[in-house]
Short mmCIF file of all heavy atoms in Angstrom, two decimals:
data_model
loop_
_atom_site.label_atom_id
_atom_site.label_comp_id
_atom_site.label_asym_id
_atom_site.label_seq_id
_atom_site.Cartn_x
_atom_site.Cartn_y
_atom_site.Cartn_z
N ALA V 1 -1.37 -6.97 -2.86
CA ALA V 1 -2.61 -6.89 -3.64
C ALA V 1 -3.71 -7.57 -2.72
O ALA V 1 -3.54 -8.19 -1.81
CB ALA V 1 -2.48 -7.87 -4.90
N PRO V 2 -5.04 -7.09 -3.10
CA PRO V 2 -6.16 -7.57 -2.31
C PRO V 2 -6.33 -8.99 -2.07
O PRO V 2 -6.82 -9.57 -1.05
CB PRO V 2 -7.36 -6.94 -3.01
CG PRO V 2 -6.80 -5.71 -3.74
CD PRO V 2 -5.39 -6.14 -4.15
N GLU V 3 -5.89 -9.76 -3.10
CA GLU V 3 -6.12 -11.27 -3.10
C GLU V 3 -4.85 -11.84 -2.44
O GLU V 3 -5.04 -13.19 -2.13
CB GLU V 3 -6.30 -11.81 -4.44
CG GLU V 3 -5.03 -11.68 -5.41
CD GLU V 3 -5.04 -10.31 -6.04
OE1 GLU V 3 -5.74 -9.38 -5.77
OE2 GLU V 3 -4.33 -10.22 -7.17
N TRP V 4 -3.86 -11.29 -2.09
CA TRP V 4 -2.80 -11.94 -1.39
C TRP V 4 -2.96 -12.03 0.08
O TRP V 4 -3.80 -11.29 0.75
CB TRP V 4 -1.46 -10.99 -1.46
CG TRP V 4 -0.95 -10.92 -2.91
CD1 TRP V 4 -1.64 -11.36 -4.14
CD2 TRP V 4 0.10 -10.13 -3.39
NE1 TRP V 4 -0.95 -10.91 -5.22
CE2 TRP V 4 0.16 -10.09 -4.76
CE3 TRP V 4 1.10 -9.25 -2.61
CZ2 TRP V 4 1.12 -9.53 -5.53
CZ3 TRP V 4 2.00 -8.61 -3.48
CH2 TRP V 4 2.07 -8.78 -4.75
N ASP V 5 -2.42 -13.08 0.66
CA ASP V 5 -2.42 -13.32 2.08
C ASP V 5 -1.30 -12.76 2.88
O ASP V 5 -1.50 -12.48 4.15
CB ASP V 5 -2.49 -14.81 2.43
CG ASP V 5 -3.66 -15.61 1.82
OD1 ASP V 5 -4.74 -15.03 1.86
OD2 ASP V 5 -3.50 -16.73 1.38
N ALA V 6 -0.29 -12.16 2.29
CA ALA V 6 0.76 -11.51 2.99
C ALA V 6 1.34 -10.56 2.00
O ALA V 6 1.30 -10.71 0.88
CB ALA V 6 1.83 -12.50 3.48
N GLY V 7 2.14 -9.64 2.57
CA GLY V 7 2.81 -8.66 1.84
C GLY V 7 4.03 -9.16 1.11
O GLY V 7 4.53 -10.20 1.46
N CYS V 8 4.51 -8.41 0.14
CA CYS V 8 5.69 -8.81 -0.61
C CYS V 8 6.95 -8.92 0.12
O CYS V 8 7.24 -8.03 1.00
CB CYS V 8 5.93 -7.79 -1.65
SG CYS V 8 7.59 -7.77 -2.58
N PRO V 9 7.68 -9.91 0.16
CA PRO V 9 8.97 -10.24 0.98
C PRO V 9 9.94 -9.06 0.67
O PRO V 9 10.65 -8.58 1.56
CB PRO V 9 9.51 -11.51 0.45
CG PRO V 9 8.23 -12.23 0.03
CD PRO V 9 7.29 -11.27 -0.65
N SER V 10 10.09 -8.72 -0.63
CA SER V 10 11.18 -7.77 -0.99
C SER V 10 10.72 -6.37 -0.31
O SER V 10 11.50 -5.48 0.25
CB SER V 10 11.27 -7.45 -2.37
OG SER V 10 11.86 -8.64 -2.91
N CYS V 11 9.37 -5.98 -0.51
CA CYS V 11 8.92 -4.79 0.09
C CYS V 11 9.08 -4.78 1.86
O CYS V 11 9.38 -3.75 2.40
CB CYS V 11 7.52 -4.43 -0.09
SG CYS V 11 7.20 -4.00 -1.85
N SER V 12 8.89 -5.97 2.28
CA SER V 12 9.02 -6.12 3.73
C SER V 12 10.49 -5.79 4.15
O SER V 12 10.77 -5.17 5.18
CB SER V 12 8.51 -7.50 4.15
OG SER V 12 7.22 -7.71 3.82
N ALA V 13 11.46 -6.29 3.29
CA ALA V 13 12.86 -6.03 3.70
C ALA V 13 13.15 -4.64 3.63
O ALA V 13 13.94 -4.16 4.31
CB ALA V 13 13.78 -6.92 2.64
N PHE V 14 12.52 -3.89 2.61
CA PHE V 14 12.66 -2.51 2.50
C PHE V 14 12.17 -1.71 3.71
O PHE V 14 12.94 -0.85 4.27
CB PHE V 14 11.97 -1.94 1.27
CG PHE V 14 12.26 -0.48 1.02
CD1 PHE V 14 13.28 -0.02 0.21
CD2 PHE V 14 11.26 0.51 1.57
CE1 PHE V 14 13.43 1.34 0.14
CE2 PHE V 14 11.49 1.77 1.32
CZ PHE V 14 12.64 2.26 0.61
N LEU V 15 10.99 -2.02 4.15
CA LEU V 15 10.52 -1.39 5.48
C LEU V 15 11.34 -1.76 6.55
O LEU V 15 11.43 -0.90 7.57
CB LEU V 15 9.01 -1.80 5.60
CG LEU V 15 8.00 -1.02 4.79
CD1 LEU V 15 6.59 -1.29 5.24
CD2 LEU V 15 8.37 0.37 4.45
N ASP V 16 11.94 -2.91 6.72
CA ASP V 16 12.77 -3.36 7.82
C ASP V 16 13.94 -2.40 7.93
O ASP V 16 14.46 -2.20 9.07
CB ASP V 16 13.27 -4.76 7.52
CG ASP V 16 12.21 -5.84 8.07
OD1 ASP V 16 11.31 -5.63 8.83
OD2 ASP V 16 12.37 -6.94 7.61
N GLN V 17 14.36 -1.89 6.87
CA GLN V 17 15.60 -1.02 6.96
C GLN V 17 15.20 0.63 7.22
O GLN V 17 16.23 1.35 7.31
CB GLN V 17 16.42 -1.12 5.74
CG GLN V 17 15.79 -0.63 4.55
CD GLN V 17 16.63 -0.86 3.31
OE1 GLN V 17 17.66 -1.61 3.40
NE2 GLN V 17 16.11 -0.49 2.13
N ILE V 18 14.00 0.82 7.19
CA ILE V 18 13.69 2.31 7.56
C ILE V 18 13.95 2.70 8.92
O ILE V 18 13.68 1.98 9.94
CB ILE V 18 12.22 2.60 7.28
CG1 ILE V 18 11.76 2.27 5.78
CG2 ILE V 18 11.79 3.94 7.79
CD1 ILE V 18 12.32 3.19 4.85
N GLY V 19 14.69 3.80 9.05
CA GLY V 19 15.13 4.16 10.47
C GLY V 19 13.99 4.82 11.19
O GLY V 19 12.85 4.71 10.86
N HIS V 20 14.36 5.29 12.44
CA HIS V 20 13.35 5.92 13.39
C HIS V 20 12.80 7.09 12.72
O HIS V 20 13.41 7.99 12.26
CB HIS V 20 13.97 6.23 14.76
CG HIS V 20 13.02 6.22 15.83
ND1 HIS V 20 12.08 7.27 15.88
CD2 HIS V 20 12.81 5.48 16.83
CE1 HIS V 20 11.37 7.03 16.90
NE2 HIS V 20 11.69 6.05 17.56
N LEU V 21 11.47 7.10 12.60
CA LEU V 21 10.76 8.25 11.91
C LEU V 21 11.00 9.59 12.52
O LEU V 21 10.66 10.61 11.88
CB LEU V 21 9.28 7.90 11.63
CG LEU V 21 9.01 6.60 10.80
CD1 LEU V 21 7.53 6.40 10.61
CD2 LEU V 21 9.60 6.86 9.41
N ALA V 22 11.34 9.57 13.77
CA ALA V 22 11.46 10.88 14.47
C ALA V 22 12.51 11.85 13.80
O ALA V 22 12.33 13.04 13.90
CB ALA V 22 11.97 10.71 15.94
N HIS V 23 13.48 11.25 13.14
CA HIS V 23 14.50 12.08 12.41
C HIS V 23 13.79 12.71 11.13
O HIS V 23 14.13 13.80 10.66
CB HIS V 23 15.71 11.35 12.12
CG HIS V 23 16.18 10.75 13.30
ND1 HIS V 23 16.90 11.60 14.29
CD2 HIS V 23 16.51 9.47 13.74
CE1 HIS V 23 17.44 10.83 15.22
NE2 HIS V 23 17.23 9.45 14.96
N LEU V 24 12.99 12.01 10.54
CA LEU V 24 12.22 12.54 9.32
C LEU V 24 11.16 13.66 9.89
O LEU V 24 11.10 14.77 9.38
CB LEU V 24 11.41 11.53 8.59
CG LEU V 24 12.26 10.66 7.66
CD1 LEU V 24 11.26 9.64 7.03
CD2 LEU V 24 12.75 11.43 6.48
N TYR V 25 10.47 13.27 10.95
CA TYR V 25 9.59 14.18 11.50
C TYR V 25 10.16 15.52 11.92
O TYR V 25 9.56 16.50 11.84
CB TYR V 25 8.85 13.64 12.67
CG TYR V 25 8.03 12.32 12.43
CD1 TYR V 25 7.59 11.65 13.52
CD2 TYR V 25 7.58 12.01 11.17
CE1 TYR V 25 6.77 10.42 13.28
CE2 TYR V 25 6.88 10.98 10.94
CZ TYR V 25 6.42 10.08 11.97
OH TYR V 25 5.66 8.99 11.83
N ALA V 26 11.42 15.37 12.45
CA ALA V 26 12.08 16.68 12.79
C ALA V 26 12.32 17.63 11.70
O ALA V 26 12.51 18.75 11.88
CB ALA V 26 13.28 16.31 13.55
N ARG V 27 12.31 17.07 10.49
CA ARG V 27 12.57 17.93 9.21
C ARG V 27 11.22 18.14 8.58
O ARG V 27 11.24 18.40 7.39
CB ARG V 27 13.61 17.24 8.33
CG ARG V 27 14.97 17.07 9.11
CD ARG V 27 15.88 16.24 8.37
NE ARG V 27 17.03 16.05 9.18
CZ ARG V 27 17.31 15.24 10.24
NH1 ARG V 27 16.24 14.56 10.62
NH2 ARG V 27 18.32 15.22 10.83
N GLY V 28 10.09 18.07 9.27
CA GLY V 28 8.87 18.35 8.72
C GLY V 28 8.33 17.29 7.51
O GLY V 28 7.65 17.70 6.67
N THR V 29 8.84 16.07 7.76
CA THR V 29 8.54 15.08 6.66
C THR V 29 7.91 13.85 7.27
O THR V 29 8.44 13.27 8.18
CB THR V 29 9.81 14.71 5.98
OG1 THR V 29 10.34 15.85 5.32
CG2 THR V 29 9.46 13.87 4.85
N SER V 30 6.70 13.49 6.90
CA SER V 30 6.01 12.28 7.21
C SER V 30 6.42 11.11 6.25
O SER V 30 6.80 11.33 5.09
CB SER V 30 4.59 12.52 7.29
OG SER V 30 4.28 13.38 8.41
N PHE V 31 6.19 9.92 6.84
CA PHE V 31 6.32 8.74 6.01
C PHE V 31 5.24 7.69 6.17
O PHE V 31 4.75 7.55 7.27
CB PHE V 31 7.68 7.99 6.41
CG PHE V 31 8.00 6.78 5.62
CD1 PHE V 31 8.82 6.71 4.44
CD2 PHE V 31 7.54 5.50 6.00
CE1 PHE V 31 9.21 5.62 3.77
CE2 PHE V 31 7.72 4.31 5.37
CZ PHE V 31 8.53 4.43 4.22
N ALA V 32 4.81 7.11 5.19
CA ALA V 32 3.70 6.09 5.22
C ALA V 32 3.75 5.11 4.11
O ALA V 32 4.27 5.43 3.05
CB ALA V 32 2.35 6.83 5.20
N ALA V 33 3.41 3.90 4.40
CA ALA V 33 3.28 2.85 3.37
C ALA V 33 1.87 2.81 2.89
O ALA V 33 1.02 3.05 3.73
CB ALA V 33 3.74 1.48 3.91
N VAL V 34 1.65 2.40 1.77
CA VAL V 34 0.33 2.21 1.09
C VAL V 34 0.26 1.14 0.26
O VAL V 34 1.18 0.86 -0.59
CB VAL V 34 0.00 3.57 0.32
CG1 VAL V 34 -1.42 3.39 -0.40
CG2 VAL V 34 -0.11 4.92 1.15
N SER V 35 -0.78 0.29 0.35
CA SER V 35 -1.08 -0.87 -0.36
C SER V 35 -2.45 -0.85 -0.84
O SER V 35 -3.43 -0.41 -0.09
CB SER V 35 -0.71 -2.08 0.50
OG SER V 35 0.64 -2.07 0.99
N ARG V 36 -2.75 -1.83 -1.79
CA ARG V 36 -4.00 -2.02 -2.35
C ARG V 36 -4.89 -2.83 -1.39
O ARG V 36 -6.05 -3.09 -1.40
CB ARG V 36 -4.03 -2.57 -3.75
CG ARG V 36 -3.88 -1.44 -4.76
CD ARG V 36 -4.30 -1.92 -6.11
NE ARG V 36 -3.78 -3.17 -6.61
CZ ARG V 36 -4.64 -4.15 -6.96
NH1 ARG V 36 -5.89 -4.16 -7.07
NH2 ARG V 36 -4.00 -5.28 -7.28
#
């Protein structure tokens, strides 16, 4: 949220486990995180 000083710990743990994006890119798929 805009008033927070840091991102959510659980969301951070989720992004930590995302693999190398090259394998998604090779299948014509992009990945992005979006926050307020």
Side-chain angles (χ1 to χ4, degrees):
E3 65 273 17
W4 298 358
D5 294 324
C8 164
S10 294
C11 290
S12 299
F14 183 89
L15 285 194
D16 278 339
Q17 66 187 4
I18 296 295
H20 203 289
L21 294 183
H23 300 298
L24 279 174
Y25 294 166
R27 294 163 188 83
T29 304
S30 291
F31 180 93
V34 172
S35 301
R36 279 201 308 130

